[in-house]
């Protein structure tokens, strides 16, 4: 019996053997029951159960494993249980007195039951593992089919077979949903009972399927399972039968992202175990892979179909292109138009029905229609006629392709409307279809190509219209070429006649053109005012001279650069007309100074001239320069005025290092400026010293720009003191350059370059801003700072606004700042400067007149510009001595008297000795500055010395 118990194949067999064993041991009416992890209770023989047995078993399970019903004489005892999941027990006849005997038997059977449960669990695990392997293999098989060459029609039955391995699937279908069309497509349907048939390529609107189970599967996007009546309770609305009613039905939707892509359905018409949740989960899992495989296969087939269609279209395009090339070739090779038309007819016939074809052309005046080519199956002829309202004229008039299908009601209606308006009148034999395209050259319609059919069932399509349109372009161009060739032959004869006539005319025109070219060449290379060669002519001459010197080192030449002195003053004072006359006279005099054939004088522009001369000796250019200065020293009479001018001459001698005309002109120009700086009306020879000075000037200018960008310009401060006790009343801010390599540079090292390069204003503003920022650290109460303004600042009418904005930005009181200007600055635009001074005075900024006595010293300036301070120039201070009367003493005494009458402060500049200080005190001067008191110092040095 033990062997039979342990050898049981499943729990039911084990329970039967257990019941048999217990009855042999003397127990009566035995019922053996068990429960697996699915929670369902089973018994080995349901017919052996008595009323109340199941309740008694539940009492034993919920109690201590023992329950007795004395009234019925039945007991229930638990043999084995595991955490409420697994259980094994018995029910038999007995009382409380038989408990010990029954529990002993149960204790004997408990290890056997536990072993049997473990055996079942292992068998179930093996079954699940085998099923998983089978499922994995099926998924691999689905994937292989999706990537194979198998057609979709062959693949779908194989997919059906795979589903049938895991569940009952004799009746199975796959449907795809198109949300754009809101329609279903049953790509696969296999049904053993229902005779319904679905076309795999047909889309069925969802409205047709509404209320069916498949419709709800797609609309609700959730699985449905069970008998039809059960499913009706699961859906969201009323249902209707589509096809035969089944016994059991299972459908799962295929969802990609948030879109329902389709569904898979299995159903049975016979009574059999119903589909379970495991079947539903499996179909959902396998179904997603099936749908992916189907989508891939559909995409593959669609791609192949598109490739095939595209290949056909490309082949058709190639054929059309070949036809166009043939027509283009015919337009060049055909010997006459008749041959050209026949060849075109054959080519058109390769693509469409061209049994009836004609070509119509318009006359040059557009009044007549000709039919140079006309083929008709009924022998019709194309006769030339006046332009009317026929269909040919209608097509040419509108200039667009036109297709008429006389079987189409809309076409008939359109023709009727055109006839009523008098725009169209169709004559001749009635055709079924007519297709015409205009022949267009450029934007002009020159004719029409038309085909027509008289046979029912033979018509034309939009594709035929496109082909004929393409061909019409080549035909139109071919016609134009053929007609042009004919016109060309006619033109040749006329051309030969006209060539002889034109030859005479052209010879005359050539002579006129040569004279004009010579005149233009002279104008391009000569100055229009003086008639002298211009800069371009001089440059060409220098190029030739440099080339000749490179071949012959003994060849020498020089360039003299001449600039008239005071020409701008003459031009501004007596006018440009007199200035132009002066330039013409200068050109004449310079021309008399040169040697004919060896020298050349040129005007470079404005009042600048240059002379190129060949030299026999080293002093030839010097003699030439002296002749020029002598001839220009004589006065020039222009319009009754006697004008005097001079010239500054720069000379550059040829040298091996010169490689271009620009280099030698540049050096002659540098020498000229050196002559002008040396006192005018003189000449200078260019040498390496001048070259070095020019380079130094250029380097200084570059350094200035870099220094300005790096904010290297700073103020140094020189005290303004009371002479009597040396107390400081203010400071003058003086510009210094904090050069990174050369250290602190004084103004004399760079101011002339800054003025010439136009950078002075930018540097001044750097100093202004720096000085404003240090005022709180430098000044005591009632002290001030003087800032120097050049004349260029006052060319801006809003200079005061910018200056006040800077003061406000730095938080400075206006009374702490004063500006110094020189007398020369007041000469330019005095009205504008006066207005600026008045606005500055109104907000508390005072004006000091610097270097007084060295300029114009106009007393009107003091009153007119409301000056606050006069600064006596150092040239009047250097000769002063205490208790001595000198020439400068009277000047200073006069300035002091003037300032007293105008109620102005006076500051003496350049005080360097005690004697100068005492003399100024004796003259009544209260304020002064100079090296005797302090040299200009940086802010740091001033603060450190306090």
């Amino acid at each position: 019996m033990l062997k039979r118990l342990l050898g049981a194949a499943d729990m039911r067999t084990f329970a039967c053997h257990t019941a048999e064993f217990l009855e042999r041991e003397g127990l009566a009416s035995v019922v053996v029951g068990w429960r697996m992890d699915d929670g369902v209770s089973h018994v080995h023989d349901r017919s052996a159960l008595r009323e109340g047995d199941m309740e008694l078993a539940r009492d034993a399970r919920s109690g201590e494993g023992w329950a007795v019903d004395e009234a019925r004489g039945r007991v229930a005892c638990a043999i084995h249980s595991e955490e409420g999941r697994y259980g094994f027990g018995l029910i038999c006849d007995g009382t409380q007195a038989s408990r010990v005997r029954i529990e002993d038997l149960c204790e004997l059977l408990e290890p056997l039951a536990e072993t049997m449960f473990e055996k079942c669990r292992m068998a179930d695990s093996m079954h699940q593992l085998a099923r998983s392997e089978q499922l994995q293999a099926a998924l691999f098989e689905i994937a292989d089919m999706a990537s194979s060459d198998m057609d979709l029609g062959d693949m779908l039955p194989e997919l059906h077979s795979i589903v049938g391995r895991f569940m009952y699937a004799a009746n199975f279908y796959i449907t795809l949903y198109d949300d754009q069309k809101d329609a279903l497509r049953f790509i696969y349907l296999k049904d053993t009972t229902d005779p319904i048939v679905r076309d795999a390529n047909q889309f069925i609107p969802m409205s047709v399927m509404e209320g069916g189970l498949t419709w709800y599967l797609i609309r609700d996007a959730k699985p449905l399972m069970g008998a039809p009546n059960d499913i009706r309770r699961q859906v969201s609305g009323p249902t209707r039968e589509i096809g035969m009613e089944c016994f059991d039905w299972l459908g799962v939707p295929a969802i990609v992202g948030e879109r329902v892509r389709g569904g898979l359905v299995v159903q049975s018409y016979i009574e059999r175990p119903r589909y379970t949740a495991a079947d539903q989960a499996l179909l959902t899992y396998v179904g997603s892979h099936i749908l992916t495989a189907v989508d891939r296969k559909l995409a593959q087939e669609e791609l192949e179909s598109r490739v095939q269609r595209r290949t056909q279209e490309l082949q058709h395009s190639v054929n059309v292109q070949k036809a166009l090339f043939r027509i283009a070739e015919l337009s060049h090779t055909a010997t006459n138009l008749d041959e050209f038309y026949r060849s075109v007819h054959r080519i058109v016939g390769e693509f469409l029905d061209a049994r009836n074809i004609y070509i119509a052309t318009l006359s040059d005046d557009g009044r007549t229609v000709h039919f140079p080519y006309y083929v008709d199956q009924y022998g019709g002829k194309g006769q030339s006629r006046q332009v009317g309202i026929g269909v040919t004229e209608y097509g040419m008039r509108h200039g667009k392709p036109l297709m008429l299908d006389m079987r189409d009601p809309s076409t008939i209606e359109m023709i009727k409307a055109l006839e009523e308006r008098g725009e169209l009148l169709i004559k001749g034999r009635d055709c079924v279809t007519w297709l015409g395209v205009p022949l267009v050259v450029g934007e002009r319609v020159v004719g029409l190509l038309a085909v027509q059919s008289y046979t029912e069932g033979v018509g034309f399509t939009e594709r035929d219209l496109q082909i004929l349109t393409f061909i019409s372009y080549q035909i139109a161009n071919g016609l134009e070429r053929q007609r042009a060739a004919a016109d060309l032959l006619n033109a040749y004869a006329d051309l030969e006649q006209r060539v002889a006539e034109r030859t005479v005319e052209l010879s005359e025109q050539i002579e006129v053109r040569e004279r004009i070219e010579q005149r233009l060449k002279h104008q391009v290379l000569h100055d229009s005012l003086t008639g002298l060669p211009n800069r371009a002519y001089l440059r060409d001459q220098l190029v030739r001279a440099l080339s000749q010197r490179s071949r012959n080192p003994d060849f020498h030449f020089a360039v003299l650069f001449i600039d008239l002195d005071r020409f701008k003053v003459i031009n501004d004072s007596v006018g440009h007309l007199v200035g132009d006359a002066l330039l013409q006279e200068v050109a004449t005099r310079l021309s008399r100074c040169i040697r004919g054939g060896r020298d050349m004088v040129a005007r470079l522009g404005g009042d600048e001239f240059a002379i190129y001369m060949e030299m026999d000796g080293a002093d030839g250019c010097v003699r030439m320069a002296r002749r020029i200065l002598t001839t220009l020293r004589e006065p020039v009479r222009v319009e009754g005025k006697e004008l005097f001018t001079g010239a500054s001459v720069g000379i550059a001698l040829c040298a091996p290092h010169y490689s271009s005309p620009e280099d030698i002109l540049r050096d002659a120009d540098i020498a000229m400026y050196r002559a002008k700086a040396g006192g005018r009306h003189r000449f200078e020879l260019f040498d390496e010293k001048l070259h070095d000075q020019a380079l130094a000037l250029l380097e200084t200018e570059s350094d200035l720009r870099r220094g300005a960008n790096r904010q290297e310009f700073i103020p140094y401060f020189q005290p303004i003191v009371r002479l009597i006790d040396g107390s400081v009343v203010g400071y003058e801010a003086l510009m210094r350059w904090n050069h990174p390599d050369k250290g602190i540079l004084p103004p004399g090292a760079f101011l002339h370059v800054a003025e010439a390069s136009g950078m002075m204003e930018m540097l001044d503003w750097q100093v202004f801003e720096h000085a404003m920022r240090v005022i709180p650290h430098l000044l005591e109460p009632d002290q001030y700072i003087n800032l120097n303004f050049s004349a260029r600042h006052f060319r801006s009418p809003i200079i005061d606004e910018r200056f006040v904005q800077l003061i406000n930005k730095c938080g400075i009181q206006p009374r702490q700042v004063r500006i110094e200007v020189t007398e020369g600055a007041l000469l330019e635009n005095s009205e504008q400067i006066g207005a600026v001074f008045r606005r500055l005075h109104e907000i508390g900024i005072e004006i000091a007149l610097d270097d007084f006595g060295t300029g114009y010293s106009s007393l009107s300036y003091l009153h007119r510009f409301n000056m606050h301070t006069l600064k006596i120039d150092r040239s009047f201070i250097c000769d002063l001595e205490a208790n001595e009367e000198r020439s400068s003493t009277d000047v200073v005494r006069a300035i002091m008297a003037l300032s007293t009458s105008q109620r102005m402060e006076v500051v003496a500049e350049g005080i360097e000795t005690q004697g100068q200080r005492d003399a100024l005190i004796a003259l009544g001067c209260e304020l002064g500055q100079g090296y005797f008191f302090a040299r200009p110092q940086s802010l740091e040095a001033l603060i450190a010395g306090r």
Side-chain angles (χ1 to χ4, degrees), residues 440-570:
V440 181
V441 176
E443 297 182 356
R444 181 172 58 92
V445 176
V446 297
L448 182 92
L449 171 64
V451 291
Q452 52 190 346
S453 171
Y454 302 109
T455 306
E456 289 288 342
V458 178
F460 304 111
T461 64
E462 288 292 334
R463 189 172 186 178
D464 296 333
L465 182 63
Q466 293 178 0
I467 293 173
L468 204 62
T469 301
F470 291 147
I471 293 175
S472 71
Y473 296 142
Q474 292 296 335
I475 293 174
N477 291 329
L479 287 174
E480 192 67 16
R481 289 192 193 98
Q482 289 287 330
R483 184 156 58 182
D487 293 341
L488 186 61
L489 291 174
N490 296 329
Y492 278 145
D494 182 57
L495 180 61
E496 290 179 357
Q497 181 180 355
R498 295 175 60 190
V499 163
E501 299 173 356
R502 287 290 294 166
T503 301
V504 177
E505 297 178 5
L506 287 174
S507 61
E508 296 175 354
Q509 292 178 2
I510 289 172
E511 292 178 2
V512 173
R513 180 174 295 178
E514 288 177 349
R515 290 196 296 269
I516 293 174
E517 288 178 352
Q518 291 174 359
R519 186 165 62 251
L520 290 175
K521 184 176 180 180
H522 183 273
Q523 291 175 355
V524 169
L525 296 177
H526 289 76
D527 176 49
S528 60
L529 177 63
T530 63
L532 295 176
N534 59 14
R535 182 183 291 270
Y537 197 150
L538 176 64
R539 186 185 184 282
D540 291 343
Q541 181 64 36
L542 291 176
V543 169
R544 289 192 293 271
L546 289 170
S547 177
Q548 183 175 352
R549 178 174 173 77
S550 66
R551 296 190 303 269
N552 180 15
D554 294 332
F555 176 74
H556 299 281
F557 66 93
V559 174
L560 288 75
F561 201 104
I562 306 162
D563 185 86
L564 300 183
D565 297 332
R566 299 178 62 252
F567 178 75
K568 185 177 185 303
V569 175
I570 295 173

Side-chain angles (χ1 to χ4, degrees), residues 41-100:
S41 297
H42 307 272
V43 295
H44 84 285
D45 183 6
R46 187 166 293 276
S47 63
L49 282 174
R50 299 179 184 175
E51 185 178 357
D53 281 357
M54 295 305 295
E55 290 78 2
L56 188 64
R58 282 194 291 272
D59 292 342
R61 188 166 64 247
S62 60
E64 297 178 353
W66 174 265
V68 61
D69 187 347
E70 295 287 355
R72 292 191 305 114
R74 297 286 283 177
V75 297
C77 184
I79 299 175
H80 175 74
S81 64
E82 296 183 13
E83 300 177 357
R85 293 169 54 203
Y86 298 94
F88 192 78
L90 64 88
I91 303 172
C92 64
D93 292 342
T95 62
Q96 188 69 27
S98 57
R99 177 172 181 173
V100 175

Side-chain angles (χ1 to χ4, degrees), residues 479-717:
L479 287 174
E480 192 67 16
R481 289 192 193 98
Q482 289 287 330
R483 184 156 58 182
D487 293 341
L488 186 61
L489 291 174
N490 296 329
Y492 278 145
D494 182 57
L495 180 61
E496 290 179 357
Q497 181 180 355
R498 295 175 60 190
V499 163
E501 299 173 356
R502 287 290 294 166
T503 301
V504 177
E505 297 178 5
L506 287 174
S507 61
E508 296 175 354
Q509 292 178 2
I510 289 172
E511 292 178 2
V512 173
R513 180 174 295 178
E514 288 177 349
R515 290 196 296 269
I516 293 174
E517 288 178 352
Q518 291 174 359
R519 186 165 62 251
L520 290 175
K521 184 176 180 180
H522 183 273
Q523 291 175 355
V524 169
L525 296 177
H526 289 76
D527 176 49
S528 60
L529 177 63
T530 63
L532 295 176
N534 59 14
R535 182 183 291 270
Y537 197 150
L538 176 64
R539 186 185 184 282
D540 291 343
Q541 181 64 36
L542 291 176
V543 169
R544 289 192 293 271
L546 289 170
S547 177
Q548 183 175 352
R549 178 174 173 77
S550 66
R551 296 190 303 269
N552 180 15
D554 294 332
F555 176 74
H556 299 281
F557 66 93
V559 174
L560 288 75
F561 201 104
I562 306 162
D563 185 86
L564 300 183
D565 297 332
R566 299 178 62 252
F567 178 75
K568 185 177 185 303
V569 175
I570 295 173
N571 214 26
D572 292 343
S573 59
V574 296
H576 292 283
L577 292 178
V578 176
D580 289 346
L582 174 63
L583 291 175
Q584 291 171 338
E585 176 62 23
V586 169
T588 302
R589 294 187 182 187
L590 292 177
S591 298
R592 290 198 294 263
C593 293
I594 64 174
R595 301 164 298 175
R598 301 191 64 189
D599 305 336
M600 183 183 77
V601 59
R603 183 188 177 207
L604 304 183
D607 60 338
E608 294 180 343
F609 295 84
I611 292 179
Y612 162 80
M613 64 174 295
E614 298 177 5
M615 294 194 305
D616 297 324
D619 59 346
C621 58
V622 174
R623 292 196 302 271
M624 174 71 77
R626 287 172 178 165
R627 282 202 304 273
I628 292 170
L629 296 176
T630 300
T631 192
L632 295 182
R633 186 177 291 114
E634 298 296 327
V636 178
R637 293 194 64 81
V638 178
E639 295 185 359
K641 296 180 176 63
E642 193 172 61
L643 305 176
F644 292 88
T645 185
S648 299
V649 182
I651 305 172
L653 303 177
C654 64
H657 67 274
Y658 287 128
S659 60
S660 69
E662 287 74 16
D663 294 339
I664 193 168
L665 285 172
R666 176 202 63 209
D667 291 348
D669 189 26
I670 292 173
M672 182 275 293
Y673 274 106
R674 177 63 178 270
K676 193 176 286 292
R680 302 176 184 266
H681 203 72
R682 56 193 301 274
F683 67 89
E684 282 283 351
L685 278 167
F686 180 83
D687 56 16
E688 289 302 321
K689 182 178 179 182
L690 286 179
H691 182 68
D692 293 342
Q693 290 176 352
L695 290 178
L697 184 66
L698 183 62
E699 182 180 356
T700 302
E701 183 176 343
S702 299
D703 270 358
L704 275 175
R705 297 190 185 279
R706 287 191 293 269
N709 292 333
R710 293 195 294 257
Q711 301 286 321
E712 293 174 357
F713 295 88
I714 60 175
Y716 264 42
F717 302 96

Side-chain angles (χ1 to χ4, degrees), residues 150-202:
M150 183 183 296
D151 292 337
L152 182 63
D154 297 331
M155 187 180 76
L156 292 173
E158 294 296 330
L159 296 176
H160 182 188
S161 174
I162 291 173
V163 174
R165 298 176 196 171
F166 300 97
M167 65 186 70
Y168 178 77
N171 308 286
F172 173 69
Y173 63 86
I174 303 173
T175 182
L176 296 180
Y177 174 64
D178 189 330
D179 55 359
Q180 299 294 324
K181 299 179 180 179
D182 194 26
L184 292 174
R185 176 184 169 195
F186 290 84
I187 64 168
Y188 182 78
L189 188 149
K190 184 68 174 179
D191 200 297
T192 59
T193 304
D194 197 334
I196 193 169
V197 177
R198 302 287 190 189
D199 185 351
N201 296 316
Q202 179 186 5

Side-chain angles (χ1 to χ4, degrees), residues 59-134:
D59 292 342
R61 188 166 64 247
S62 60
E64 297 178 353
W66 174 265
V68 61
D69 187 347
E70 295 287 355
R72 292 191 305 114
R74 297 286 283 177
V75 297
C77 184
I79 299 175
H80 175 74
S81 64
E82 296 183 13
E83 300 177 357
R85 293 169 54 203
Y86 298 94
F88 192 78
L90 64 88
I91 303 172
C92 64
D93 292 342
T95 62
Q96 188 69 27
S98 57
R99 177 172 181 173
V100 175
R101 169 65 178 161
I102 294 173
E103 287 183 344
D104 287 343
L105 291 173
C106 291
E107 185 176 354
L108 177 66
L109 291 170
E110 181 178 7
L112 299 178
E114 182 179 2
T115 300
M116 192 62 200
F117 275 124
E118 183 65 25
K119 180 179 178 181
C120 290
R121 281 196 295 270
M122 292 181 65
D124 186 59
S125 296
M126 292 295 292
H127 176 71
Q128 293 295 333
L129 181 60
R131 189 174 179 84
S132 297
E133 291 178 351
Q134 186 181 12

